Amino acid sequence: MFADDMVEAERYTAPLPMVTPQDDQAVSSFFDRFIGCPCNDRSTPGFLDCLPGLFKEVNREARSALRWAVLAAGYAGLSSDQEDKTTSQLALYCYGHALSVLGTCIADPKLDPDDHILMTVVILDLFETLHLPNAIIKGSHAGGMAHILRLRGPGQLQEPRGWSLFRLSHHRLQKQQMTFQQSLQGLLPDSQRWIETLDANLPSVQTEKENAQIHSVCERARTLLDLIDSVGLHPEEILQCVKELREYDNTTILWRRGPNWAFQVKHRSEVVQHGPITPVLPEYIQLHPDIWTAYEWNYHRTGRIILHRHLLVCLTRLLGSQPAHLDNFSEEVECIRRTSLAIIRNLAEEVLSTVPQSVGDIGHDGKPLADSTPTTAWRAIGSYFLLWPIKIIKSPDQATLEQREAAQEVFERIREYTGMSTYLGELSCI
């Protein structure tokens, strides 16, 4: 399962000296950057908030993979701060050991895939996403993550820490499948059934169900494309399928209504009057109760962007294929195409409007945050949350040139705040 990873382990496990004070500094740096707890009663669960407890529980050899993974991520972040190639080598050294120990643990039939093993995979995935090139990170741990979730079964959803880890892993799998046009059912076929057994009155459960449905409708649009290519559906059938998917998209909009999803929208002039802000602000800014709520909104928006991109491909192929017995067919298709394009650009603008709060330029009240404000320590988390939607927006498809340029500027800030622009040589070029 981790054969490719083991090759990377052999490549990076050169014997380097390990100094305990350096280890402590690396761990503290990573925790400061990426551990986030709920900031008020309405907040969704924090990010990696169960990691410190799991890290302290590393009291036997089988759990040392988690320690190596955290050290790898910590040293990678320090290498950006210190511009030190030796620290970069330490990061890769720890990364190699984490892969090696993890592979040994998973290969041992006597060891259960406990929280430590799943968290190790989560941290390695974060490390690879931020610090290794696409050729290596694309899907490198998706199969392993899904396999561990399968082995853990539905019981993991009944316990708070297990549910938190499941959501973290499940989100990662869904994002990868939507981005790279892969099927989640092939990796984790039972996940939807597990989620359906939970109490839908719980906000986190309801959100997870909705996210799974967003992934499902994107998969249906992708299947439609495959059918167009392989079977050659009649234009009328294709158009009808597109209309059905658009109706479903209209339904997804209703999922983000209600007091739990409310946010404010302010013009940048209302924000600047509270004090100077160095980055150029978007014209309109969304203020959410916290960055976790903004993340859930952007997950929803990005899924819809991907859906409408699929629909645009279908519609483009329909143009010029007007059936002889149907009047105004091309006009109808073109009208739907323009609507999908407008939806993509509107969603991209909404994602960009969450950037100032997500990266710590302003707080939830719209006031600028000083560098000493504790909230700025969450910049890495907010930036990591933005990574997926911003990479989707800045790709050369459908978004306006202005939006793509703005997304590229945000992406450079994400690289800075998460430590992506580290001195790992060519491995930093994502």
Side-chain angles (χ1 to χ4, degrees), residues 115 118 152 156-157 159-167:
D115 292 347
L118 181 55
R152 286 162 64 89
Q156 64 188 306
L157 279 61
E159 180 266 321
R161 192 163 77 180
W163 172 238
S164 176
L165 281 167
F166 174 84
R167 291 194 71 200

Side-chain angles (χ1 to χ4, degrees), residues 197-317:
T197 64
L198 302 177
D199 184 1
N201 293 319
L202 297 174
S204 63
V205 173
Q206 184 60 36
T207 300
E208 200 64 28
K209 288 184 176 182
E210 292 167 354
N211 288 341
Q213 291 178 52
I214 290 172
H215 176 272
S216 177
V217 73
C218 286
E219 192 164 332
R220 287 178 58 190
R222 191 168 59 248
T223 300
L224 176 60
L225 276 175
D226 293 339
L227 288 174
I228 293 174
D229 291 335
S230 60
V231 179
L233 293 178
H234 192 278
E236 292 175 75
E237 295 178 285
I238 298 172
L239 184 57
Q240 183 58 37
C241 290
V242 168
K243 289 179 177 179
E244 290 175 3
L245 290 171
R246 289 181 72 231
E247 284 299 316
Y248 195 86
D249 179 58
N250 289 334
T251 301
T252 68
I253 297 173
L254 302 177
W255 297 342
R256 289 297 184 264
R257 292 182 179 174
N260 290 340
W261 296 107
F263 58 85
Q264 299 179 59
V265 178
K266 292 192 175 185
H267 191 271
R268 62 182 165 217
S269 60
E270 299 179 72
V271 174
V272 174
Q273 67 184 7
H274 294 292
I277 298 179
T278 301
V280 177
L281 296 175
E283 183 175 6
Y284 291 97
I285 299 164
Q286 290 186 6
L287 301 177
H288 292 262
D290 51 61
I291 60 174
W292 293 274
T293 309
Y295 163 73
E296 293 289 5
W297 262 107
N298 286 338
Y299 185 100
H300 179 268
R301 291 163 178 152
T302 308
R304 293 186 62 212
I305 288 174
I306 292 173
L307 166 63
H308 282 278
R309 283 184 174 180
H310 290 325
L311 295 185
L312 281 176
V313 176
C314 295
L315 293 165
T316 299
R317 294 180 185 178

Side-chain angles (χ1 to χ4, degrees), residues 62-107:
R63 293 179 176 176
S64 64
L66 178 58
R67 182 171 293 276
W68 286 114
V70 172
L71 283 170
Y75 277 122
L78 285 181
S79 69
S80 177
D81 298 337
Q82 301 173 353
E83 301 185 1
D84 181 6
K85 291 186 178 181
T86 300
T87 308
S88 299
Q89 289 180 310
L90 283 171
L92 297 174
Y93 173 83
C94 295
Y95 169 68
H97 271 287
L99 291 175
S100 179
V101 177
L102 178 64
T104 301
C105 293
I106 293 177

Side-chain angles (χ1 to χ4, degrees), residues 360-378:
D361 294 331
I362 60 175
H364 68 278
D365 56 0
K367 296 181 180 179
L369 296 174
D371 290 338
S372 58
T373 305
T375 308
T376 58
W378 304 342

